[in-house]
Amino acid sequence: MSVPMRSLFIGLAGGFFGSMVGLGGAVVMIPLLTGWAKLSQHKAHATSLVAVVFTGLIGAAAYAGGGALDWGIAVPVAVAAVVTSTVAAAYSSRVPAGVLKRIFGGLLVAAAVALIFGFDVAGGGLGGAWRLPGAVLLGLLSGTLTGLLGIGGGAFIVPLLIFVFGLDQHLAQGTSLAVMIPAGIAGTAVHVRNRRIAGNVVVGLIVGVALGAFGGGKLALLTPERPLQVIFGVILLWTGYRYLRPQPRA
């Protein structure tokens, strides 16, 4: 199978998964790009970010069509995240990333347990005059983590949208996909300037992502909230474990 055809299937898988759970899909695409499409690690990360932008665009459109996107939260979170991720990335080498990863992993595991066991997470939450400042603060925190640790913001944003803002699972995932678009575009621009994008892969990847993300978003809207929470919680649990586990010595 040719590399462009492989990239199409990688995009389908990443776009579907990313839109289905509101996380962008890089966790699926990067291993496939390095293992199956034979890209270097740096090119895989850079090229997958292009695809994440399209996952956000198409997936958010699917969620918005079903009324599952809160623009009042998405816009201030996205703007604040772009600012702090840019600043934090410049200082990432000075921060003890190991400590931050363990803290972040612990938070993800705690959120996963709450979602899997069905704690009361919807209803209430920040409202009124506190809603906008809360959204800005969420964006600042998310962007800082993204810049320091090189992670996607969805794993951090979705649980807080549920626990702090009282959004249901569908609304939180749709809003998360919209939030990742501006930061993804900013990062992609940097990669394009530095010629890190794999041209023989990116077109097929985008086409696959466009198809997969739309289908994943539509399926998520058809999935009842409780099963979707459990699926998302299991993914968070696995992601948190990856940050908590001891790193092998070089």
Side-chain angles (χ1 to χ4, degrees):
M1 186 182 296
S2 66
V3 171
M5 187 58 67
R6 291 179 187 181
S7 68
L8 176 66
F9 283 105
I10 292 171
L12 279 169
F16 181 85
F17 173 82
S19 183
M20 175 72 180
V21 299
L23 294 180
V27 67
V28 171
M29 288 184 282
I30 290 173
L32 290 175
L33 286 172
T34 55
W36 198 24
K38 306 301 181 185
L39 296 187
S40 68
Q41 196 70 33
H42 289 97
K43 280 204 169 186
H45 278 269
T47 307
S48 73
L49 188 57
V50 181
V52 166
V53 172
F54 281 86
T55 301
L57 286 167
I58 305 299
Y63 279 88
L69 203 163
D70 190 324
W71 288 108
I73 293 178
V75 172
V77 170
V79 172
V82 169
V83 174
T84 52
S85 64
T86 303
V87 175
Y91 291 92
S92 59
S93 61
R94 306 180 188 180
V95 177
V99 175
L100 286 175
K101 285 182 178 180
R102 286 191 290 273
I103 294 172
F104 182 66
L107 291 173
L108 291 188
V109 169
V113 170
L115 288 170
I116 291 170
F117 288 97
F119 293 173
D120 185 12
V121 296
L126 285 181
W130 291 103
R131 196 170 177 84
L132 179 58
V136 172
L137 179 59
L138 174 57
L140 294 174
L141 292 172
S142 173
T144 300
L145 281 173
T146 299
L148 291 178
L149 301 180
I151 61 171
F156 179 75
I157 290 172
V158 171
L160 286 183
L161 289 177
I162 294 171
F163 292 118
V164 177
F165 288 86
L167 272 59
D168 66 37
Q169 188 72 31
H170 296 99
L171 195 56
Q173 291 184 188
T175 304
S176 170
L177 285 168
V179 165
M180 69 181 62
I181 296 169
I185 291 173
T188 296
V190 174
H191 291 313
V192 169
R193 287 197 300 270
N194 290 279
R195 299 182 180 180
R196 297 170 185 157
I197 308 296
N200 63 330
V201 169
V202 71
V203 174
L205 202 64
I206 289 172
V207 173
V209 159
L211 297 172
F214 186 79
K218 289 298 184 182
L219 180 60
L221 290 172
L222 294 173
T223 304
E225 183 178 5
R226 185 72 195 115
L228 195 60
Q229 279 187 348
V230 173
I231 292 169
F232 187 83
V234 170
I235 293 167
L236 280 191
L237 193 63
W238 175 71
T239 305
Y241 165 73
R242 291 178 62 205
Y243 282 102
L244 286 172
R245 68 183 179 184
Q247 297 300 311
R249 295 182 180 275

